[in-house]
Amino acid sequence: MKQPVRVTVTGAAGQIGYALLFRIASGAMLGDDQPVILHLLDITPAMDALQGVRMELEDCAFPLLAGVVCTDDPNVGFKDADYALLVGARPRGPGMERKDLLEANAAIFSVQGKAIDQNASKNIKVLVVGNPANTNALIAQRNAPSISPRNFTAMTRLDHNRAMTQIAIKTGKTVNDVTNMTIWGNHSATQYPDLFNAKVSGQTASDLVDQAWLEGDFIPTVQQRGAAIIKARGASSAASAANAAIGHVRSWALGTEGDDWVSMGVYSDGSYGIAEGLIYSFPCRCKDGEWEIVQGVEVNDFSRAKMQASEQELAEERDGVKHLLP
Ligand SMILES: NC(=O)C1=CN([C@@H]2O[C@H](COP(=O)(O)OP(=O)(O)OC[C@H]3O[C@@H](n4cnc5c(N)ncnc54)[C@H](O)[C@@H]3O)[C@@H](O)[C@H]2O)C=CC1
Ligand SMILES: O=C([O-])CC(=O)C(=O)O
């Protein structure tokens, strides 16, 4: 049996937390030979609810669950953490854009970045889910100078999964036939889901649909899916968000499949002309616990314009939180 690893989940008493923790404890994220110690971090008023979650985790008798720590103290929450899923943040309501949450949520990620810097393993892998995820990841990263910027990522896997299903439905196939999907940019309404490189049963996806559907239906559906769920459910996506978080960390820790890739918000090294240092979603392959941006993906003029619009938005978000970026 492997030694247990410590996995911190913030916002653990919230709705994504409830859909996430039981799957982590079951082995779905890190493999069924990897015991975990869960560190559940939330705010003080949520501590009673968090104890309820702990009791339910205990009641599952998961063979891989080697311990549960519940806390409202970030220093305890991130102590020796090997993985952190930063979920705890306010969700948006109807009519809001995700960046409207920046003011409410940004400070959380500055505090947590510092606590990660001071307490966590230097090899910690961090996934930011709380919105606006890319810029919150940037804030956490910049407040943790002793840890490689490569260790801070933001979640666009939910957008990636949404895009895979939309093209599968349109072409009468299943997600098993879809490969090489890419979400470029920000987890926001400017994100760009790319059908020019995606494949369905080995064929280029954009060749299988007309441009009017691609521009007028596919792209807006993926960009606006979060808002559509809020409108329908009265609450933002939770089970699908948790599922995407599991997928993101699993790909990062255990590797991507064959030649395929996944979408991850990662520290830009200037690839594809995207400003260095932004947390931008690129096509990534993972191996041995490291991600790399896939190079040589074709970018036509249509794609280039959309990628730049999302980059521009991320630069504006970054400039809006300058006071939190040491
Ligand atoms: N990147 C993505 O694809 C997605 C991101 N999200 C975002 O995830 C976040 C969480 O969503 P839900 O779980 O639905 O919200 P929720 O409101 O159900 O839960 C949030 C939890 O975070 C806690 N929290 C607040 N401040 C905290 C702090 N400083 N430290 C620790 N915990 C804190 C709250 O007490 C609450 O328990 C939201 O920002 C939402 O917009 C949601 C879906 C997809
Ligand atoms: O749309 C929201 O606010 C929640 C979210 O990020 C998503 O479902 O993609």
Side-chain angles (χ1 to χ4, degrees):
M1 201 61 149
K2 291 181 179 171
Q3 283 295 108
V5 294
R6 292 179 186 270
V7 179
T8 304
V9 177
T10 75
Q15 53 152 5
I16 295 176
Y18 197 70
L20 179 62
L21 296 168
F22 299 86
R23 291 187 63 198
I24 299 175
S26 76
M29 186 170 84
L30 295 172
D32 52 18
D33 59 348
Q34 179 58 69
V36 295
I37 299 171
L38 285 173
H39 286 215
L40 311 185
L41 177 66
D42 210 299
I43 54 175
T44 313
M47 286 301 105
D48 282 348
L50 198 56
Q51 286 305 332
V53 174
R54 177 217 282 267
M55 287 189 268
E56 284 203 69
L57 280 165
E58 289 171 356
D59 294 350
C60 292
F62 286 116
L64 291 171
L65 186 56
V68 181
V69 175
C70 292
T71 183
D72 56 5
D73 178 350
N75 293 315
V76 176
F78 294 110
K79 187 78 195 150
D80 299 328
D82 300 292
Y83 295 87
L85 285 75
L86 307 189
V87 178
R90 221 181 105 187
R92 66 173 166 156
M96 292 171 78
E97 286 301 330
R98 296 184 187 98
K99 67 180 162 207
D100 298 335
L101 293 169
L102 205 44
E103 206 167 314
N105 289 339
I108 296 174
F109 294 86
S110 149
V111 169
Q112 292 183 354
K114 291 185 175 78
I116 289 170
D117 195 54
Q118 284 159 22
N119 296 284
S121 157
K122 295 300 170 203
N123 297 318
I124 186 170
K125 289 179 163 58
V126 180
L127 167 64
V128 177
V129 174
N131 278 316
N134 299 54
T135 297
N136 288 337
L138 179 71
I139 295 168
Q141 180 263 308
R142 292 278 284 270
N143 281 278
S146 72
I147 294 169
S148 165
R150 290 179 49 84
N151 297 18
F152 289 82
T153 63
M155 190 164 95
T156 52
R157 184 63 166 267
L158 179 52
D159 312 292
H160 178 104
N161 290 343
R162 288 166 172 163
M164 284 180 65
T165 299
Q166 291 304 315
I167 187 64
I169 292 171
K170 177 70 179 172
T171 54
K173 302 280 182 156
T174 74
V175 289
N176 302 297
D177 303 307
V178 180
T179 61
N180 305 88
M181 182 57 72
T182 307
I183 304 294
W184 299 95
N186 197 3
H187 173 61
S188 76
T190 68
Q191 67 176 272
Y192 172 50
D194 178 356
L195 287 188
F196 294 98
N197 291 290
K199 296 203 158 45
V200 181
S201 302
Q203 286 180 275
T204 300
S206 58
D207 292 346
L208 302 174
V209 298
D210 58 51
Q211 185 73 12
W213 180 81
L214 187 154
E215 281 188 57
D217 203 327
F218 172 74
I219 295 177
T221 296
V222 176
Q223 289 174 332
Q224 296 296 335
R225 188 67 158 191
I229 288 178
I230 291 169
K231 188 156 174 273
R233 244 172 53 86
S236 73
S237 355
S240 57
N243 179 63
I246 297 273
H248 176 115
V249 177
R250 187 179 174 93
S251 296
W252 189 0
L254 303 183
T256 44
E257 310 260 325
D259 273 349
D260 204 2
W261 61 64
V262 294
S263 304
M264 297 171 70
V266 296
Y267 186 83
S268 171
D269 60 357
S271 290
Y272 298 97
I274 302 304
E276 206 176 324
L278 289 176
I279 305 285
Y280 189 96
S281 181
F282 289 101
C284 290
R285 288 200 186 97
C286 306
K287 200 180 162 202
D288 301 329
E290 298 285 338
W291 54 262
E292 63 168 42
I293 297 171
V294 179
Q295 300 298 325
V297 171
E298 185 198 316
V299 176
N300 60 24
D301 290 346
F302 178 84
S303 300
R304 170 68 56 201
K306 298 227 173 301
M307 287 162 63
Q308 285 176 342
S310 204
E311 177 192 20
Q312 179 62 31
E313 181 185 47
L314 280 169
E316 284 164 17
E317 287 184 19
R318 177 196 59 201
D319 294 346
V321 296
K322 253 199 209 113
H323 57 294
L324 294 172
L325 302 177

